[in-house]
Structure formats: structure tokens, C-alpha cells
Amino acid sequence: MMSVQVLSRETIKPSTPTPPHLKFLELSFLDQCLPNYRINFLIFYSAGHSNGIPEISHHLRSSLSDVLTRFYPLAGRLKKHHPSSDKIYVECNDEGVEFTTARVERDLDSFLANPPFNELHRLFPAGGSSISSYDQLPLSVQFNEFTPGGGWALGVSMSHKLADGTSYAEFLKAWADTARARGVPARPKFESAALFPPRDVAPEIEFIPVVPSIIAPARLLIRARQLEKLRGAAYARERARPTRVEAVIALLWRCAMRAACGEARGRRPEAAVPVNLRPWLRPPLTEDYFGNVFAMVYASGVGWEGAEEHEQGFLEERLREAIRGLNGEAREELRTAVAVAEGVERYLFTNLSSFPFYETDFGWGGPAWVAMPPYVMKNWFVLMKARGGDGFEVWAFLTEAEMERFAKDPELLAFTSSPSSL
């Protein structure tokens, strides 16, 4: 087992107090509906960029304090208006975020060559839990020093109640820009409650089932050359050429449905895809609108097996129709995620490939690898840009029995590479 020793815990507060008129932030209806999950990512930096670990740690703490003056709700505390109400707000009281420093007795190069997936959660504060609670801090960070050999990693954990993936990425970028003294980051807009007003009662949605202890994670690479081969696979030629994301999701979805075998027999397959609403709204919003500004779109896979069209093209078309069905004009009709209906087998596909995680440079170069700890959600797939931009890195979460069949699917193997080639 990997040795991780916590050396210190410190509370980092904004370097400038939050003005009194900004002390309370109402969360939006979309924020209300989200389960109390956390967004967790690990960002690794190689030994070649880590001269002076104490200085790096100090600089990260100092720049975090500075950037929190702009992202001040992250240094506050989540509150409920009333125990019987679903309305939530943030008390922006500058109580601060937790910054943990830890030492990992492991050489970083050997770690990255064969990452211990089931131990990644130990590089986060509070064990990298994917489930949060109202008394947990909106933001917490763990700085991990790898020794011997050097290198370090940041485990950054943020409440999904306050932020979606776009906002998480915007925060990381602003923190890195602050650390490099690259201008003054723009102040984010905390105005989503005006777009989606909160309600007294809000149904907490269910993305996909949470099934602790039986989830097996897998990491796949789909190289650019494999991706082009996949996009050119035999399907109805009169259909539009699929996007890279449509092609990858259709492949993963199809292989996962085959792997389900008897476990999902008789259940209607459905793909759920979160879509950033900012460019879809009229007028469109800029990426600095902080909060959960996304909609979940659903594509039915009924009829995929044995379809007259090639199965890959059939599912690509279903995905395309679902996403294009978003209506940016009718804000009230935009749907967030809903509970998994009875008789439906849902697969969730989160596309983070456009997020600039590999550009997160705090002053010592870009990351050697970006990863996430295993989650306890069934049928979840995360698409990220592969290091160097060569295709996609995919994280898959299935039950152990389904993962065994999924990983051996001949079609999946034809379009994916071994992670050791990263």
C-alpha cells in the first residue's frame, strides 16, 4: 500500500475581505436540484519542474489566498434557508478553504507508469469522497510531495452544488494565472440564480445509480488515428459525419450495452449527456458565469441492436438529435437531470475534453497527468483530452462483472490503446 503521510493542515482565507454587500449568495434552481456530489481531480507535475518543494507549496498557498478574493463563495459555507426548504445559499464569510500538505513515499515516475487506481483517493483531503454534505467545505486542496525523486500533485475537491465542470476549470485557470502573475483574472459572475430562480421545493436528481463497493474503474486511450478510423466506420453514408465526441460516446455506449448482457435485459437503454448551456442561451453567456449552468440531454438507444443502419451510426444519430433538441430561447423549458425512470438502464457520458486542464501551469510547466479518483456511480464514462492532445483519455465506471466483459469487447479493443502508451 502506498504510504501517504499528512504533514499539516492550514486554513487559507481570501487575501482581501469580502465586501458586506456580497456576504450572501443565493444558489440557482439548477444548483438546488443537483445531488451533493464533489468534483475531484488530481493534477500531477513531474520532478523536472519541482525544484524547491517548500517554495512551491508556499507560492500555491499565497496565490490561492489571492484568487479567493474573486472566487469568494468558495471560502464561505453552504447553508439552508430552513430545514423544510430546499433553498440554499452561501454565507460568504471568508472562513476559508482547507489546504492539506502530505508526503507520498513513492517515486512519481513509477507511480505514473502504473497508477494505483484504488489509492488515488488518498491524495485528496477527506479521502476524496464523491459524496458531500452541507458541513463540508465548498473547496479543499491537498498538496502531495512525492519522495524520493521529487514531483508533486494537487488534489482539488469542489462542491458540485456551487459549480459545474466549466466553473471548476475556470477556477483552476484563474488560480494558475494568479500564481504566474499573468495579469489580473476576470472576476467571475455569480448570477445564475437570476437566470434560474430558486424554488422552495426542488427535486434532487439522480444522475445514475450509486452502488458502493462493486464499481471497477478502467482507463482507456483512443488515439487520433483510431478516432479517425472510428469516424469513418461503415454506417449510412447519407448521414452527417459524426463529431469526435459523438463517435466515441456511441462506441462506449454500444460496448457497455453489450457488456450488460442479462443484467439489463428488458430495460430500455438511455444515454445522458451534460451540455454546457452558456453558448446555447439567448443571448449566450460567457464562460465566467459561475455555477451549474448546464442541461442534461437524453438519447434513447431503443432499437440499436440489429438496427437496419450500422449500430454505430444509429447511436451517433440518436445522440446528435438529442443535443440539437436543446432550445436556448425557452429557458423555462430547459431540463436538468431527472431521476432514472423505472425500466431504464442509463449511461452517463461526461465530456471534459474541451477543458484546458493540461494548460494548468502554476509557474513550473504543465501537468504530467490529470486524473480522477474512482467514483461509486454505475455506468459512468468521462472523456478527457489525452496528454499532448492526441485523442481522448476515457475513464469508465461499471460493475466488476460488466467491466470484465466490456474490457474484452473486440470492437472496443480495435479502437483503443493501452494506457501504458501514454
Side-chain angles (χ1 to χ4, degrees), residues 182-225:
R182 185 178 177 179
V184 178
R187 188 175 293 275
K189 298 180 177 70
F190 299 101
E191 302 172 9
S192 60
L195 297 170
F196 304 98
R199 305 176 188 176
D200 288 329
V201 178
E204 187 169 284
I205 56 88
E206 179 186 16
F207 287 117
I208 42 179
V210 175
V211 281
S213 79
I214 62 169
I215 293 299
R219 174 180 163 223
L220 310 167
L221 293 177
I222 303 179
R223 295 297 193 186
R225 67 180 187 279

Side-chain angles (χ1 to χ4, degrees), residues 262-274:
E263 285 86 340
R265 189 65 63 191
R267 296 170 65 83
R268 302 187 306 279
E270 177 183 81
V273 183

Side-chain angles (χ1 to χ4, degrees), residues 253 257 267-271 298-305 307 314-315 318 345:
W253 188 13
M257 287 190 288
R267 296 170 65 83
R268 302 187 306 279
E270 177 183 81
Y298 305 95
S300 172
V302 173
W304 75 277
E305 202 169 13
F314 178 87
L315 294 178
R318 299 290 82 77
E345 186 74 3

Side-chain angles (χ1 to χ4, degrees), residues 20-283:
H21 71 281
L22 299 177
K23 288 295 185 182
F24 297 94
L25 175 68
E26 195 83 50
L27 296 191
S28 74
F29 175 65
L30 298 186
D31 298 327
Q32 285 179 277
C33 290
L34 278 173
N36 216 352
Y37 293 152
R38 297 193 73 82
I39 306 175
N40 298 325
F41 279 98
L42 280 163
I43 312 171
F44 294 86
Y45 295 87
S46 66
H49 301 301
S50 59
N51 293 330
I53 288 291
E55 290 79 5
I56 291 175
S57 175
H58 172 78
H59 191 60
L60 289 172
R61 297 195 304 274
S62 174
S63 56
L64 176 58
S65 177
D66 289 340
V67 80
L68 283 174
T69 64
R70 292 174 174 79
F71 292 81
Y72 56 90
L74 297 177
R77 297 296 181 264
L78 275 170
K79 308 280 186 179
K80 275 198 168 187
H81 280 280
H82 189 275
S84 62
S85 171
D86 292 328
K87 282 189 175 182
I88 309 164
Y89 68 96
V90 183
E91 185 178 343
C92 305
N93 51 22
D94 296 339
E95 288 191 10
V97 306
E98 182 182 87
F99 191 98
T100 302
T101 301
R103 178 178 294 126
V104 183
E105 300 292 339
R106 181 77 182 270
D107 176 73
L108 181 60
D109 288 340
S110 64
F111 179 97
L112 294 179
N114 187 25
F117 294 113
N118 292 326
E119 294 190 70
L120 293 181
H121 65 277
R122 302 179 64 203
L123 303 181
F124 286 91
S129 173
S130 56
I131 308 298
S132 190
S133 61
Y134 285 98
D135 57 356
Q136 278 190 277
L137 307 187
L139 174 68
S140 53
V141 178
Q142 183 162 314
F143 175 81
N144 302 280
E145 174 191 358
F146 284 77
T147 183
W152 50 283
L154 281 178
V156 183
S157 179
M158 187 180 295
S159 170
H160 211 329
K161 279 287 188 185
L162 270 71
D164 57 13
T166 299
S167 295
Y168 182 100
E170 284 293 306
F171 167 76
L172 282 182
K173 179 181 183 303
W175 184 9
D177 287 348
T178 301
R180 300 199 321 276
R182 185 178 177 179
V184 178
R187 188 175 293 275
K189 298 180 177 70
F190 299 101
E191 302 172 9
S192 60
L195 297 170
F196 304 98
R199 305 176 188 176
D200 288 329
V201 178
E204 187 169 284
I205 56 88
E206 179 186 16
F207 287 117
I208 42 179
V210 175
V211 281
S213 79
I214 62 169
I215 293 299
R219 174 180 163 223
L220 310 167
L221 293 177
I222 303 179
R223 295 297 193 186
R225 67 180 187 279
Q226 296 166 321
L227 187 52
E228 289 310 302
K229 180 182 175 184
L230 176 62
R231 294 179 71 196
Y235 62 93
R237 293 299 175 183
E238 67 273 12
R239 297 182 184 275
R241 180 173 170 82
T243 66
R244 290 155 49 97
V245 172
E246 288 168 353
V248 171
I249 291 179
L251 173 69
L252 298 170
W253 188 13
R254 195 150 45 95
C255 294
M257 287 190 288
R258 280 200 290 259
C261 294
E263 285 86 340
R265 189 65 63 191
R267 296 170 65 83
R268 302 187 306 279
E270 177 183 81
V273 183
V275 177
N276 177 14
L277 281 177
R278 293 165 181 84
W280 286 87
L281 293 173
R282 297 294 177 267

Side-chain angles (χ1 to χ4, degrees), residues 327-409:
N327 184 352
E329 300 287 350
R331 185 173 297 151
E332 288 301 316
E333 297 178 6
L334 290 170
R335 296 181 300 164
T336 183
V338 296
V340 180
E342 185 177 350
V344 169
E345 186 74 3
R346 178 179 292 172
Y347 299 85
L348 175 64
F349 298 91
T350 302
N351 174 30
L352 305 177
S353 62
S354 64
F355 294 171
F357 288 134
Y358 280 100
E359 299 172 21
T360 310
D361 179 1
F362 290 92
W364 299 275
W369 187 41
V370 178
M372 60 192 305
Y375 280 67
V376 292
M377 294 191 292
K378 177 181 181 290
N379 297 348
W380 187 30
F381 298 83
V382 180
L383 281 61
M384 296 181 63
K385 183 186 295 183
R387 184 169 181 261
D390 183 15
F392 291 92
E393 180 167 348
V394 176
W395 288 69
F397 301 92
L398 297 169
T399 64
E400 292 178 357
E402 291 177 13
M403 181 61 77
E404 185 175 355
R405 294 188 288 266
F406 176 81
K408 295 177 181 177
D409 189 296

